[in-house]
Amino acid sequence: MEAAPVPDGQYTAVVYGLIGGGRCGEAVSLLSRELQKSCRSRGGLSLLGYCHYQLQDFAAAAECYEQLVALHPELDAYRLYQAQALYKAGLYAEALRAASPLLDLPAYQGRALRLQAAVRYAQGDLPAAKSLVEEALAAAADGGPGAAEDPSERADAEINLGCLLYRQGRHEEASGKFAGAMQVLGYCPELSYNMALCCYAAKQYAPALKHISDIIERGIHQHPELSVGMTTEGIDVRSVGNTLLLHRTALVEAFNLKAAIEYQLRNLKAAQEALTDMPPRAEEELDPVTLHNQALMNMDSQPTEGFEKLQFLLLQNPCPPETFGNLLLLYCKHQYYDLAADVLAENAHLTYKLLTPYLYNFLDAIITCQTAPEEAFHKLDDSAGTLTEQLRKLTKQVQEARQNWDDEAVKKAVNEYDETLDKYVPVLMAQAKIYWDMKNYTMVEKIFRKSVEFCNEHEVWKLNVAHVLFMQENKYKEAISFYEPIVKKHYDNILHVSAIVLANLCVSYILTSQNEDAEELMRKIEKGEEQLSYDNPDKNIYHLCIVNLVIGTLYCVKGNYDFGISRVIKSLEPYNKKLSTDTWYYAKRCFLSLLENMSKHMIMLRDSVIQECVQFLKQCELYGRNIPAVIEQPLEEKRMHSGKNTVTYEARLLRALMYKIIGWTA
């Protein structure tokens, strides 16, 4: 930003006026221009360093203070400011060197110790950080050199101790330290956030959200200029920038934590709203945690941008420690196994630092599965064996604690059991997938049966058992016994159940001659869709459509194309509401199967059915211009032609094939 010319004699007043008005960016432009004329100006460099710090451009602030230390070595305050700026810029080794001479100065010893402790904490050297914190506390208690001049310095050391306790997993004790510091200092958003973080780590989401709510309410009332919630409401507002004021309100941290809690509770929409509610900033101004959360929580709708953000963060120093593991897991989820292997190989130094042994072994097995499935199965089996042993021990601990009427021990053991089970289920599913991909459904069922001891109440396990029983084609009654409880659990909100679960249950009913049950379920789905359409007319709902598509597909597979194709066609009416990438996928499979059998002269269709097919494909051409036929992979280098990747294009191809097979010329 270019600063306006300053009249003679008013330079100082203008600079201080800009800083006082929070216009540090303009002050930087003005000071930089003046320093070109007088580069050794102490006042100019000091103010420039202060402005850069306020704008959170810590590297530039450190440069200003480095020049001041060289020009005025007798002023130790500049050395402290330089060390603080270097620490904030993530230049930890340089910050330690800058702070080291201050340890011998009584006036600065306490602050230098706390700064060095913060650096060691950021580097992950917890024993050294703890030693420095305790040294600062001892100095404050003894009243010796570097002793605290007021209670706030003692509280600051207590906060550092709380941070160490948090990293050691002693969340309740850490929260107590932060609460004690708040009693001394008064309400502080950063401390409230620290307590919320302790609650989150202990999975106590309700008290965490209470602390977050306090931070947000105070931020809205005290600083309306930060435009909280404006972006979510669709109001176009300018960036508030990365000011020290924004940092002190802890609003960004609070909204990120709120998003994380909602994400853990599987409230994806609420998580996304939490990110858009935070004070608006340009993308280049976003902090690493916000960028990471944006990538993660919008991955389903914006996978390409999500991968780009995570890849960018991995190159930054520092970056959120979760970035590495999440990027690898998402690569595997989207089946980019080669990319996952490359990232692991290129970042071997991060493997031991940021991945737990469990996560590393899991990822290693998933990647190995692509080239050596048998070896991968054995690796997963080793992990599963270790986890089942832990589950048995924890089951015994729960039983013993209940016998001793020790509620605290029961709670602790149950939490550990749930955490271990959450690790076990993905390993089990990865083992099952190896045989699922081979279409060896009997072996998949055998793997699930072995795990019934621990997983019989787990929703994911029950759902996948139902699927594998369904796929064996001779166990529909057993599949019903697993699908029915899932559906009945959400019977009052039937549309909360996955469409494919409802479809498979309907098919199972039909194939076991329980047609009345199938019809009743379809009526229930229809009523649910009617109610949702009434409440939200613009929302497209596909549950009943997909159920009918799957039933139509079933009849086509059985060779009854007259009924099957008619069912498929009727399921997509009205086309403007029901035609989508997913529904077209099911429909075109049936048409391709029909055309293949017609070309081999294995079936004959009545003319009325052929006319119905042609009219259906014409309607798909009409309504499918802007509907992708295939959802492309996010990191695909060679993109499909935009004109060919539409339902219209594929429907036209199918109609041309049909004309060719039946010998029509029009």
Side-chain angles (χ1 to χ4, degrees):
M1 189 182 300
E2 187 64 35
V6 178
D8 290 341
Q10 295 183 28
Y11 180 77
T12 304
V14 169
V15 170
Y16 278 101
L18 290 172
I19 294 171
R23 295 155 63 189
C24 290
E26 293 176 57
V28 165
S29 297
L30 189 59
L31 289 163
S32 299
R33 195 169 66 196
E34 286 300 314
L35 282 167
Q36 287 175 359
K37 303 174 189 174
S38 177
C39 62
R40 298 171 66 87
S41 166
R42 175 185 159 189
L45 282 168
S46 181
L47 286 169
L48 185 61
Y50 173 82
C51 289
H52 280 310
Y53 197 92
Q54 292 290 317
L55 293 168
Q56 298 196 36
D57 186 353
F58 300 116
E63 283 183 26
C64 292
Y65 291 125
E66 185 180 8
Q67 290 181 54
L68 285 163
V69 168
L71 291 169
H72 302 280
E74 73 283 359
L75 297 175
D76 298 306
Y78 291 134
R79 194 177 297 278
L80 178 65
Y81 301 154
Q82 181 196 2
Q84 287 172 335
L86 288 166
Y87 160 65
K88 289 283 192 178
L91 301 167
Y92 300 131
E94 294 86 341
L96 286 173
R97 280 199 297 274
S100 187
L102 299 172
L103 295 172
D104 299 325
L105 303 172
Y108 292 97
Q109 186 190 36
R111 281 177 284 180
L113 283 169
R114 289 195 296 277
L115 180 60
Q116 288 200 333
V119 171
R120 293 298 185 192
Y121 181 85
Q123 290 177 320
D125 188 352
L126 298 187
K130 187 179 180 185
S131 174
L132 288 161
V133 168
E134 287 171 349
E135 193 178 338
L137 274 169
D142 294 344
E149 295 170 4
D150 58 61
S152 66
E153 295 222 2
R154 168 88 189 183
D156 196 34
E158 287 287 325
I159 293 167
N160 288 341
L161 202 55
C163 292
L164 287 165
L165 290 167
Y166 172 81
R167 284 286 283 269
Q168 291 166 0
R170 294 156 66 182
H171 305 122
E172 198 171 330
E173 293 173 65
S175 188
K177 292 287 184 188
F178 299 135
M182 195 182 285
Q183 287 179 345
V184 175
L185 301 172
Y187 182 82
C188 174
E190 289 162 308
L191 289 177
S192 190
Y193 168 75
N194 287 355
M195 288 189 277
L197 198 58
C198 290
C199 295
Y200 169 75
K203 297 191 175 178
Q204 297 170 359
Y205 297 140
L209 287 169
K210 174 69 176 67
H211 287 300
I212 290 167
S213 178
D214 290 343
I215 295 168
I216 293 170
E217 284 177 20
R218 285 173 183 263
I220 291 170
H221 291 140
Q222 293 174 7
H223 301 286
E225 72 276 11
L226 292 177
S227 306
V228 170
M230 297 290 190
T231 307
T232 303
E233 292 172 14
I235 301 169
D236 191 17
V237 285
R238 60 179 291 180
S239 165
V240 299
N242 279 320
T243 60
L244 205 56
L245 169 67
L246 178 63
H247 177 67
R248 284 174 178 159
T249 61
L251 282 168
V252 169
E253 293 83 354
F255 278 116
N256 271 316
L257 187 56
K258 185 181 180 185
I261 291 170
E262 298 293 359
Y263 188 76
Q264 290 289 344
L265 297 172
R266 292 178 169 77
N267 301 328
L268 187 58
K269 189 176 179 185
Q272 291 168 338
E273 279 187 9
L275 293 179
T276 53
D277 276 345
M278 68 172 63
R281 291 172 294 166
E283 189 168 68
E284 62 272 13
E285 295 173 331
L286 294 179
D287 58 285
V289 175
T290 302
L291 208 60
H292 169 272
N293 289 346
Q294 280 187 353
L296 205 60
M297 289 165 204
N298 296 297
M299 203 71 194
D300 290 342
S301 57
Q302 299 174 322
T304 306
E305 293 87 339
F307 278 120
E308 285 173 358
K309 286 173 182 175
L310 292 174
Q311 289 161 351
F312 168 78
L313 284 171
L314 198 59
L315 300 174
Q316 306 307 302
N317 183 29
C319 77
E322 297 82 5
T323 305
F324 187 50
N326 284 337
L327 179 59
L328 290 167
L329 287 169
L330 286 166
Y331 274 150
C332 291
K333 179 184 175 182
H334 288 263
Q335 300 184 3
Y336 292 122
Y337 302 108
D338 290 345
L339 287 176
D342 290 345
V343 169
L344 267 176
E346 289 164 8
N347 297 279
H349 63 292
L350 296 178
T351 301
Y352 300 103
K353 185 180 175 185
L354 299 179
L355 298 183
T356 61
Y358 159 78
L359 185 54
Y360 174 76
N361 291 334
F362 178 74
L363 288 164
D364 181 45
I366 296 294
I367 293 166
T368 303
C369 185
Q370 309 318 305
T371 50
E374 195 173 316
E375 184 187 342
F377 186 87
H378 289 307
K379 287 183 177 183
L380 290 165
D381 210 37
D382 290 342
S383 293
T386 304
L387 291 164
T388 50
E389 192 62 37
Q390 289 176 22
L391 287 167
R392 287 195 180 97
K393 284 180 182 175
L394 288 164
T395 304
K396 189 177 177 183
Q397 286 178 25
V398 171
Q399 291 168 349
E400 288 174 355
R402 281 179 178 153
Q403 288 169 2
N404 297 331
W405 300 92
D406 189 342
D407 291 342
E408 195 61 38
V410 168
K411 185 180 174 184
K412 185 183 176 187
V414 167
N415 284 340
E416 285 183 29
Y417 181 92
D418 289 342
E419 286 175 12
T420 308
L421 187 61
D422 286 343
K423 291 178 179 178
Y424 176 61
V425 170
V427 171
L428 182 71
M429 295 303 153
Q431 281 185 292
K433 188 177 183 298
I434 291 171
Y435 286 101
W436 178 278
D437 291 342
M438 296 174 184
K439 293 184 168 54
N440 187 346
Y441 302 120
T442 307
M443 192 64 192
V444 176
E445 185 185 352
K446 186 179 175 184
I447 290 167
F448 286 152
R449 296 276 182 209
K450 279 169 60 181
S451 59
V452 69
E453 176 187 355
F454 307 111
C455 301
N456 62 329
E457 294 299 320
H458 200 283
E459 295 295 326
V460 172
W461 182 85
K462 288 191 283 189
L463 178 62
N464 282 286
V465 170
H467 287 333
V468 78
L469 291 168
F470 179 84
M471 291 302 293
Q472 290 180 67
E473 297 184 357
N474 60 350
K475 295 187 176 180
Y476 292 115
K477 283 190 175 177
E478 292 95 324
I480 288 170
S481 70
F482 280 93
Y483 280 133
E484 269 187 344
I486 296 169
V487 173
K488 284 178 179 173
K489 184 179 177 182
H490 301 283
Y491 203 67
D492 292 335
N493 294 296
I494 195 81
L495 299 182
H496 288 183
V497 182
S498 165
I500 201 66
V501 170
L502 297 171
N504 286 357
L505 181 56
C506 276
V507 167
S508 299
Y509 280 147
I510 291 166
L511 291 172
T512 53
S513 303
Q514 299 178 56
N515 289 24
E516 287 183 10
D517 291 330
E519 287 171 12
E520 185 187 340
L521 180 59
M522 291 177 74
R523 281 195 295 271
K524 180 69 176 174
I525 298 166
E526 191 172 6
K527 283 181 183 174
E529 290 197 355
E530 284 174 1
Q531 183 61 47
L532 194 59
S533 294
Y534 179 78
D535 296 338
N536 190 351
D538 297 327
K539 186 175 176 66
N540 291 340
I541 315 145
Y542 301 106
H543 280 65
L544 190 61
C545 171
I546 288 174
V547 170
N548 279 313
L549 280 168
V550 171
I551 292 171
T553 304
L554 169 69
Y555 280 98
C556 290
V557 168
K558 299 291 183 186
N560 187 349
Y561 282 98
D562 274 23
F563 182 81
I565 285 291
S566 295
R567 189 89 183 215
V568 167
I569 289 170
K570 284 183 172 56
S571 72
L572 285 169
E573 296 172 354
Y575 300 101
N576 63 325
K577 291 279 188 183
K578 302 299 181 185
L579 189 60
S580 71
T581 303
D582 288 337
T583 55
W584 174 246
Y585 170 76
Y586 285 103
K588 72 182 176 186
R589 288 172 72 204
C590 293
F591 272 85
L592 285 166
S593 172
L594 168 68
L595 292 169
E596 183 183 7
N597 282 295
M598 286 174 67
S599 68
K600 293 175 180 177
H601 303 289
M602 294 174 68
I603 59 164
M604 292 288 289
L605 281 185
R606 290 179 288 115
D607 285 352
S608 61
V609 177
I610 290 173
Q611 283 282 9
E612 197 180 356
C613 290
V614 169
Q615 288 304 314
F616 168 74
L617 292 170
K618 283 182 176 179
Q619 291 298 310
C620 289
E621 285 180 48
L622 181 64
Y623 289 99
R625 294 181 188 281
N626 299 315
I627 300 172
V630 178
I631 302 297
E632 293 185 86
Q633 286 292 324
L635 299 180
E636 206 67 50
E637 288 184 12
K638 192 175 181 182
R639 294 283 173 183
M640 291 176 68
H641 189 286
S642 58
K644 292 183 178 181
N645 186 22
T646 63
V647 169
T648 294
Y649 180 80
E650 289 192 352
R652 195 172 288 146
L653 274 180
L654 288 173
R655 188 156 62 94
L657 280 170
M658 181 162 275
Y659 285 159
K660 189 172 183 180
I661 288 166
I662 61 177
W664 284 13
T665 56

